[in-house]
Amino acid sequence: MTIFYGGAFNPPTKAHIEIVNLILETYKNSKVVIVPVGNSYGKNELIDFKFRYEMLKLVFDNERIIISDLEKDKVFDGTINSLDELSKTYKDLSFVIGSDNIIDLDKWIMYEKLLKTYPLIIIKRAEDDVDFLLEKYKNIIKKYDILEFGKKINSSMIRKDLKNHLEWLDPKIIDYIRKYNLYEE
């Protein structure tokens, strides 16, 4: 099984690291392909792809983890298109999504095709009722697993107040951020 884990990773946090470790522990023979969004994604405060990509490489050094530059130079055209592209290389592809993203999944590009084609691995935050959130997709969703994850670490909080959230970052990330003066106030 190959598991697609996409996101801004702006910056990569201890939560991202723990989620990948949880996935690898749960799915023993799997690989995780981490796909940071490209610069065209249009998210506020998104630092350049090269910094986010390099930070991911710093904290993920495992033969079962692949850091992909698939979206580096692409105009963002939806997660489904990245999954379709990766499916040409990787078989048995699943997709990681945080339970907090399910509520707006119907606003994603070709979300119905995504749900019909790729099994989901839902990272459940403690406060989210996943069954309720999935109700509107019950007739189209192919398959899903739920992994419990109770931590509340938020990259946007780190960007807004870096010095008060350093404990949420791996020391290698902190050093990298300081070296390149990223997320300065």
Side-chain angles (χ1 to χ4, degrees), residues 4-40:
F4 173 102
Y5 183 22
F9 304 103
N10 188 34
T13 67
K14 287 183 177 178
H16 296 125
I17 296 166
E18 290 177 28
I19 287 168
V20 170
N21 289 334
L22 175 63
I23 291 166
L24 292 175
E25 288 170 19
T26 304
Y27 304 97
K28 300 284 187 210
N29 297 316
S30 67
K31 288 188 177 203
V32 176
V33 179
I34 299 174
V35 183
V37 297
N39 293 332
S40 71

Side-chain angles (χ1 to χ4, degrees), residues 10-11 45 47 52 55 159 162 177 181-185:
N10 188 34
E45 304 170 349
I47 64 167
R52 295 177 288 115
M55 286 189 281
R159 290 191 305 274
L162 179 64
I177 287 170
N181 300 311
L182 305 174
Y183 311 111
E184 290 186 334
E185 296 177 57

Side-chain angles (χ1 to χ4, degrees), residues 76-81 105-112 114:
F76 182 74
D77 61 354
T79 300
I80 184 64
N81 290 305
L105 192 56
D106 57 348
K107 294 177 178 70
W108 289 29
I109 295 169
M110 294 189 283
Y111 79 95
E112 290 182 341
L114 178 107

Side-chain angles (χ1 to χ4, degrees), residues 53-69:
Y53 181 82
E54 289 300 321
M55 286 189 281
L56 288 165
K57 285 174 44 179
L58 285 174
V59 293
F60 291 110
D61 183 18
N62 180 318
E63 61 195 28
R64 292 175 57 203
I65 301 170
I66 299 151
I67 312 299
S68 171
D69 66 356

